Amino acid sequence: TAATVAAGMFTATQTVAAEACDPGEVVIKFSHVVSATGHPKGDFATALAERVNTEMNGKACMQVFPSSQLFDDDKVMEALLLGDVQIAAPSLSKFEAYTLKYRVFDLPFLFSDMNAVNNFTQGPTGQELLGAMSDIGFVGLGYVYNGIKHFSANKPLLTPADAAGLKFRVQTSDVAVAMIEAMEANAQKLAFKEVYGALQTGVVDGQENTWSNIYTKKFFEVQDGITETSHQLLSYLAVTSQEWLDSLDPEVRDQFVTIFTEVTNEANARSSAINEANKQKIIESGVEVRTLTPEQREQWVVVMKPVWAKFADDIGQDVIDAAVAANN
Ligand code: LMR
């Protein structure tokens, strides 16, 4: 079966038991790029599969493929349309080939905290954005949160001037490129699975990510320290294809979507705690976590915020205004 073939590709430490599906069950493959455990998205996928496989046994069966074992985030979108996977959850920064509206989520220093993010995603504008790719055949099932991102490099970063001239890995996001260029640094787009090696070999000097990505992919081991810049959101869009959703028996579809929504809400309520736990593990490892004084933080804001204006037309000022209003 597909599960056996895929499981054979895993090394012992990476093995995740891909559920063996019974004949007649709808097979739901969920491919993602992060660690299977101790991570907001990895834990979400595991919890989702557990519930689907228990409560929908005989009707549906979910197999999870973590750590880029099946697809990178750029390939997974094509795979969804081809029916090779049914669920993906790339970062909202990675949808530029399909819609420019999600650039709003990448604007630096936009959301004051995860409550503001939640206000926006659950409000009318956030809900409308779930359908931003319907013309291509993608459906947003919901937002799955990771958290707020921080910078790290192979030297101490306290002000944006410290980052000038360095090369930073970014996701496939032009907002991120503009942000790094505003710091007079250089951006290099790389797939997530390439980041550790690129940091280790000096292909790039630094990166920006959440505590959970920095810890579970060991980026902290090959960096001088992490600076708590809290400059940008990392959230995922759980996405599927309209064609697949429409192909489901209505009762199966309703049950799946209900489970999906419940598991998403539970995962989102846990995401900040998971990031905090990962931050503590980084601190315990002895790697320096640097906090900024209000004056230092203001320097990052002053350098990065002008980036917003470049993307206002793509996003729509009304969407930006709704996101800003979610901070209140
Ligand atoms: C990244 O590429 O840094 C992240 O989008 C990876 C992830 O899925 O958290």
Side-chain angles (χ1 to χ4, degrees):
T1 67
T4 319
V5 173
M9 294 169 5
F10 301 158
T11 65
T13 52
Q14 291 172 319
T15 298
V16 172
E19 174 87 3
C21 297
D22 297 328
E25 287 179 331
V26 175
V27 179
I28 310 173
K29 290 187 182 166
F30 182 170
S31 165
H32 68 77
V33 301
V34 300
S35 295
T37 53
H39 186 286
K41 182 163 57 182
D43 288 350
F44 161 75
T46 305
L48 181 65
E50 271 169 20
R51 279 202 54 190
V52 167
N53 292 332
T54 308
E55 296 171 33
M56 301 187 74
N57 189 26
K59 290 182 270 187
C61 162
M62 177 169 274
Q63 300 173 332
V64 180
F65 300 88
S67 294
S68 311
Q69 283 159 357
L70 206 51
F71 293 108
D72 274 350
D73 280 328
D74 58 345
K75 288 282 182 297
V76 84
M77 297 300 288
E78 294 161 33
L80 277 176
L81 290 181
L82 293 170
D84 291 337
V85 292
Q86 285 67 43
I87 305 288
S91 138
L92 283 156
S93 315
K94 294 178 179 170
F95 288 95
E96 290 190 329
Y98 306 103
T99 174
L100 299 181
K101 293 259 170 211
Y102 296 153
R103 287 182 163 172
V104 66
F105 294 98
D106 267 2
L107 297 180
F109 298 105
L110 169 59
F111 296 111
S112 52
D113 56 24
M114 293 308 289
N115 283 333
V117 172
N118 203 56
N119 290 340
F120 180 61
T121 60
Q122 304 313 308
T125 308
Q127 290 299 300
E128 202 181 308
L129 285 174
L130 291 174
M133 301 182 294
S134 60
D135 54 335
I136 306 162
F138 293 123
V139 192
L141 289 172
Y143 299 94
V144 177
Y145 306 153
N146 187 319
I148 301 293
K149 288 159 64 181
H150 312 286
F151 274 105
S152 70
N154 52 13
K155 58 173 271 203
L157 302 176
L158 284 172
T159 67
D162 297 328
L166 300 185
K167 188 180 274 187
F168 288 89
R169 176 270 173 170
V170 294
Q171 303 179 73
T172 48
S173 155
D174 284 350
V175 183
V177 172
M179 206 174 74
I180 300 291
E181 286 176 354
M183 291 154 51
E184 294 182 13
N186 306 302
Q188 180 155 346
K189 292 176 180 171
L190 286 176
F192 188 57
K193 70 174 181 205
E194 292 167 4
V195 180
Y196 181 88
L199 292 170
Q200 190 183 34
T201 57
V203 167
V204 294
D205 301 301
Q207 62 85 45
E208 34 138 26
N209 230 308
T210 59
W211 298 117
S212 52
N213 277 340
I214 294 170
Y215 183 75
T216 59
K217 290 298 169 196
K218 302 189 186 341
F219 300 160
F220 69 100
E221 289 182 353
V222 283
Q223 294 281 266
D224 168 83
I226 326 294
T227 303
E228 199 163 9
T229 45
S230 305
H231 60 281
Q232 197 189 44
L233 173 70
L234 177 62
S235 173
Y236 309 108
L237 183 75
V239 62
T240 186
S241 90
Q242 187 71 56
E243 194 183 336
W244 177 73
L245 213 52
D246 290 346
S247 75
L248 296 176
D249 181 84
E251 186 227 347
V252 169
R253 180 170 57 235
D254 288 352
Q255 189 178 4
F256 177 68
V257 170
T258 301
I259 292 174
F260 196 93
T261 305
E262 288 173 8
V263 175
T264 304
N265 292 339
E266 288 161 12
N268 287 347
R270 283 195 310 264
S271 62
S272 295
I274 294 173
N275 273 302
E276 192 54 35
N278 281 298
K279 176 185 176 184
Q280 289 312 319
K281 288 183 192 163
I282 293 170
I283 291 172
E284 282 160 23
S285 80
V287 169
E288 188 141 0
V289 169
R290 299 185 174 89
T291 50
L292 300 176
T293 65
E295 294 75 22
Q296 287 166 337
R297 184 179 156 82
E298 186 56 22
Q299 290 188 44
W300 292 89
V301 174
V302 165
V303 165
M304 289 193 208
K305 252 193 139 165
V307 161
W308 289 28
K310 287 193 178 160
F311 300 98
D313 287 348
D314 297 338
I315 299 165
Q317 193 57 46
D318 53 331
V319 173
I320 297 180
D321 291 345
V324 171
N327 287 315
N328 299 324

